Amino acid sequence: MKKRVVVTGYGMVSPIGLSAKESYKNAINGISGIDKITRFDASNFEVQIAAEVKGFEPEKYVEKKEVKKYDLFSLYALAAAQEAIEHSGLELEKYNLFRCGVSVGSGIGGLGTIEKYDHALLERGYKGVSPFFIPTAVINMAGGNIAIKYGFKGPNYATVTACASATHAIGFAARNIMYGDADVMVAGGCESTITPLAIAGFQNMKALSTRNDEPQKASRPFDKDRDGFIVGEGAGILILEEYEFAKRRNANIIAELVGFGMSDDGYHITAPDPEGKGAIFAMQMALNDAGLNPEDIDYINAHGTSTYFNDKIETLSIKSVFKDHAYKLAVSSTKSMTGHLLGAAGGVEAVFSVMTIENSIIPPTINLEHQDPECDLFYVPNKSIEKKVNAVMSNSFGFGGANAVLVFKKFNE
Amino acid sequence: MSSIADQVKEIIKEQLGVEEEEIKPEAKFIEDLGADSLDTVELVMAMEEKFGIEIPDSDAEKILTVQDAINYVESHINK
């Protein structure tokens, strides 16, 4: 018998808020977090817009003099983890910290730091490279820093599957608990790559929207006028606990993580399989793992990137898995507001999924003005809806064909 | 032009993020100013760059206090 895994806390830093509550409030009100790039001078780039985190204060999470030793992706993870741990009410001093682990993924990690020290290397030779460069930039340092701050001594690793990184991180963290490796897992993802190198790279793949004059309208999943995704940044973290452990401490159980499915398209480095075979298989696996029928799912938080291929293939994959029920359930893309947080996307979207169960309000897909005829589901256009949500599926699909899907359910004893 | 001592203190202040009044001559980088081993490496590299000197590891190991650093720079600069 598998151990049950419950969600007892969440935290978020996103382009639409510095906490989960603020971000969710803005999401259900259809607020876009996309604007002109301020992080660097992008005036000569084809893409001049991004979903930046605004007003973030690193000194709230690490000592002021230490800030320069952290890349932003790590700082966002620390901030979201702090909120999540506080939200869970875990009194860490009471527990065996060898039973508390961390699983935080990221797609690219400390790219800004890598760029900075590469410039320094070219200009000043090896003496320009700080001894802190490597431990600032490597991807598992987000989780490492969380463990160092709180003294967690259980499993700690980072999953790296591009835009599915955080979803894999949460899914595997749940399995750590099921298998008995840990009682508590801090799980999610983080990303901060609004840097010249990343924007140039994504831009030249023709993956990004160039709607520079209307940033708030640029992310328009399932709309026929969509022209690519918008790079976002931030972190989304869940606290997962073994059910009996959570019960013993009288934790506030927000939802249960019941299903995890994964696959690969085995098809192309960036393009999805044209028939959605990988996505379909991952969704089916997640449903099987959850022991649920397609009809049990009320809401799908879609990968919904606002690229032509993702939205079309995701739609046909959902139809293939859910059949008639595909037209009855609600599907929305919170990326229409947050932009695409890449390796953090699945973390932020897992938090939104859980909050949707908790609050019975489904966030909309904004900018859905002229629905693409090839995307013919109910995408909660432009306005959130109130609806009792018993079970949610959250999809994440990454470059390399990586697919990961989670299913959360309202908790019932 | 400020004195070498002042310039060294400025580097320490910048690298270790400490307040000026903490940077006393006898202050030890690790015990008193909260540096770890990587901080001290970075500090030595910053002094090398600022003063155009080479500080071999065998010498760097002996630079433990603020005064050690000032003495080292004063005796090696322009040589």
Side-chain angles (χ1 to χ4, degrees):
Chain A
M1 180 77 176
K2 281 193 295 194
K3 289 183 174 33
R4 295 175 73 182
V5 178
V6 294
V7 178
T8 59
Y10 46 67
M12 193 191 298
V13 174
S14 84
I16 53 171
L18 296 174
S19 68
K21 277 213 168 74
E22 186 189 359
S23 301
Y24 180 73
K25 184 171 167 252
N26 283 327
I28 60 177
N29 286 308
I31 308 289
S32 168
I34 298 160
D35 216 323
K36 290 275 182 192
I37 292 174
T38 66
R39 228 31 92 58
F40 66 93
D41 178 7
S43 53
N44 291 321
F45 280 58
E46 286 168 26
V47 173
Q48 297 165 7
I49 51 175
E52 296 180 350
V53 167
K54 297 141 202 94
F56 182 70
E57 296 173 279
E59 316 80 53
K60 283 190 174 169
Y61 310 100
V62 298
E63 276 188 67
K64 195 171 173 209
K65 63 174 185 170
E66 301 285 317
V67 169
K68 63 176 182 177
K69 295 180 190 170
Y70 296 84
D71 190 278
L72 265 177
F73 84 106
S74 264
L75 290 166
Y76 292 154
L78 280 166
Q82 180 173 315
E83 184 193 357
I85 290 165
E86 284 170 7
H87 183 223
S88 74
L90 276 165
E91 296 168 280
L92 295 174
E93 65 285 356
K94 290 187 179 169
Y95 310 116
N96 176 0
L97 296 180
F98 283 95
R99 302 286 303 158
C100 302
V102 184
S103 168
V104 174
S106 181
I108 316 187
L111 188 64
T113 299
I114 295 171
E115 289 176 48
K116 176 175 141 188
Y117 286 116
D118 186 51
H119 284 299
L121 179 74
L122 295 175
E123 278 174 19
R124 292 152 58 196
Y126 75 86
K127 295 264 186 194
V129 180
S130 165
F132 290 101
F133 160 52
I134 299 291
T136 304
V138 294
I139 290 189
N140 72 306
M141 207 47 73
N145 282 319
I146 293 169
I148 291 163
K149 181 167 175 179
Y150 295 98
F152 297 135
K153 295 175 178 63
N156 193 333
Y157 53 88
T159 50
V160 180
T161 49
C163 307
S165 300
T167 305
H168 275 114
I170 293 168
F172 280 110
R175 296 209 169 162
N176 287 134
I177 292 172
M178 288 174 187
Y179 198 76
D181 298 328
D183 297 320
V184 178
M185 290 294 289
V186 178
C190 55
E191 199 81 83
S192 176
T193 59
I194 301 177
T195 71
L197 192 58
I199 299 295
F202 284 120
Q203 168 194 293
N204 293 349
M205 292 171 70
K206 305 294 173 196
L208 301 184
S209 169
T210 54
R211 198 180 285 263
N212 296 323
D213 296 334
E214 296 179 296
Q216 282 87 33
K217 290 190 172 287
S219 188
R220 38 197 318 119
F222 312 110
D223 186 276
K224 75 175 172 52
D225 298 322
R226 66 194 184 278
D227 71 332
F229 74 83
I230 290 84
V231 178
E233 59 172 356
I237 299 279
L238 293 178
I239 304 299
L240 304 180
E241 288 183 50
E242 194 269 318
Y243 165 57
E244 296 293 337
F245 180 90
K247 193 167 123 182
R248 274 198 301 280
R249 72 174 190 92
N250 279 319
N252 174 36
I253 296 175
I254 303 158
E256 182 168 3
L257 201 176
V258 289
F260 176 38
M262 51 191 155
S263 70
D264 198 276
D265 281 3
Y267 173 72
H268 184 265
I269 50 172
T270 56
D273 179 289
E275 294 167 45
K277 286 188 205 126
I280 291 166
F281 186 65
M283 284 190 254
Q284 272 166 347
M285 267 183 85
L287 284 174
N288 292 347
D289 189 38
L292 294 179
N293 295 313
E295 301 74 51
D296 296 325
I297 301 291
D298 304 299
Y299 167 53
I300 298 176
N301 186 297
H303 190 54
T305 56
S306 183
T307 64
Y308 172 74
F309 283 108
N310 175 83
D311 298 355
K312 176 182 153 176
I313 305 298
E314 185 171 14
T315 296
L316 74 85
S317 303
I318 290 170
K319 288 195 279 192
S320 168
V321 173
F322 289 88
K323 309 285 187 290
D324 289 349
H325 186 64
Y327 294 93
K328 294 176 193 148
L329 51 73
V331 179
S332 77
S333 170
T334 41
K335 287 188 182 78
S336 60
M337 295 162 289
T338 62
H340 189 349
L341 278 74
L342 309 173
V348 161
E349 289 156 20
V351 174
F352 283 145
S353 297
V354 166
M355 293 184 85
T356 300
I357 292 174
E358 186 182 32
N359 294 287
S360 306
I361 305 174
I362 299 178
T365 303
I366 65 165
N367 299 318
L368 195 46
E369 291 167 346
H370 307 286
Q371 195 165 326
D372 182 343
E374 289 188 287
C375 302
D376 58 349
L377 300 176
F378 173 59
Y379 301 105
V380 194
N382 305 313
K383 279 206 158 56
S384 57
I385 53 168
E386 283 189 40
K387 187 183 171 188
K388 275 253 179 292
V389 173
N390 189 55
V392 179
M393 174 177 278
S394 179
N395 286 343
S396 296
F397 311 131
F399 288 161
N403 306 302
V405 176
L406 294 169
V407 177
F408 297 94
K409 208 174 125 205
K410 193 178 267 298
F411 177 73
N412 291 306
E413 245 172 274
Chain B
M1 184 74 188
S2 56
S3 71
I4 285 175
D6 286 344
Q7 292 179 58
V8 170
K9 286 180 188 168
E10 189 57 36
I11 292 172
I12 294 168
K13 188 178 151 193
E14 171 80 8
Q15 291 294 327
L16 301 183
V18 288
E19 299 299 326
E20 206 153 337
E21 51 271 24
E22 292 178 78
I23 309 174
K24 298 183 181 115
E26 68 279 12
K28 291 183 173 168
F29 295 121
I30 292 177
E31 289 86 342
D32 301 323
L33 300 180
D36 65 19
S37 60
L38 292 181
D39 285 312
T40 59
V41 174
E42 196 175 46
L43 190 60
V44 165
M45 287 171 63
M47 292 196 298
E48 288 180 322
E49 184 163 34
K50 174 85 182 173
F51 300 107
I53 56 175
E54 287 285 330
I55 307 178
D57 288 353
S58 52
D59 287 357
E61 285 165 16
K62 294 174 198 143
I63 301 174
L64 302 176
T65 67
V66 173
Q67 193 61 50
D68 291 345
I70 294 169
N71 292 347
Y72 191 91
V73 174
E74 283 179 341
S75 62
H76 287 78
I77 199 165
N78 294 331
K79 277 193 179 169

